[in-house]
Amino acid sequence: MHHTFKTSGTCSTQIDFDKDENGIVTNIKFTGGCDGNLKAISKILDGWKASDIAAKVGGNQCRNKGTSCADQLARAVME
């Protein structure tokens, strides 16, 4: 199933991804933000379980914002 998540507190404004019935996340795409870094994050985490993504990148902070694009992805996949 396709999901769209509006981010908060980050340079990226939206995250799109697919998540299947087993919690596997694929086709991660960030809108905005640090293009190269977010493409790398998307490639690395493609095919991971949502719970593993949340455990690995949840809580990561960028520039003392209290969140980051990776943290927003962790929140998105767990919704």
Side-chain angles (χ1 to χ4, degrees):
M1 175 180 283
H2 183 77
H3 298 271
T4 298
F5 181 83
K6 299 290 185 185
T7 61
S8 177
T10 60
C11 297
S12 67
T13 57
Q14 179 174 302
I15 306 169
D16 290 280
F17 60 94
D18 297 324
K19 185 166 83 170
D20 71 14
E21 63 279 353
N22 297 313
I24 303 298
V25 178
T26 57
N27 303 315
I28 304 165
K29 183 175 182 328
F30 289 84
T31 301
C34 303
D35 189 50
N37 289 334
L38 295 176
K39 283 180 181 174
I41 288 171
S42 298
K43 286 180 182 181
I44 291 166
L45 299 179
D46 188 72
W48 284 32
K49 284 187 172 187
S51 58
D52 292 336
I53 291 173
K56 186 60 81 173
V57 300
N60 188 53
Q61 291 191 27
C62 179
R63 300 182 191 155
N64 297 317
K65 294 180 182 179
T67 191
S68 67
C69 294
D71 181 59
Q72 290 291 295
L73 175 61
R75 295 176 191 199
V77 300
M78 293 308 293
E79 280 193 351

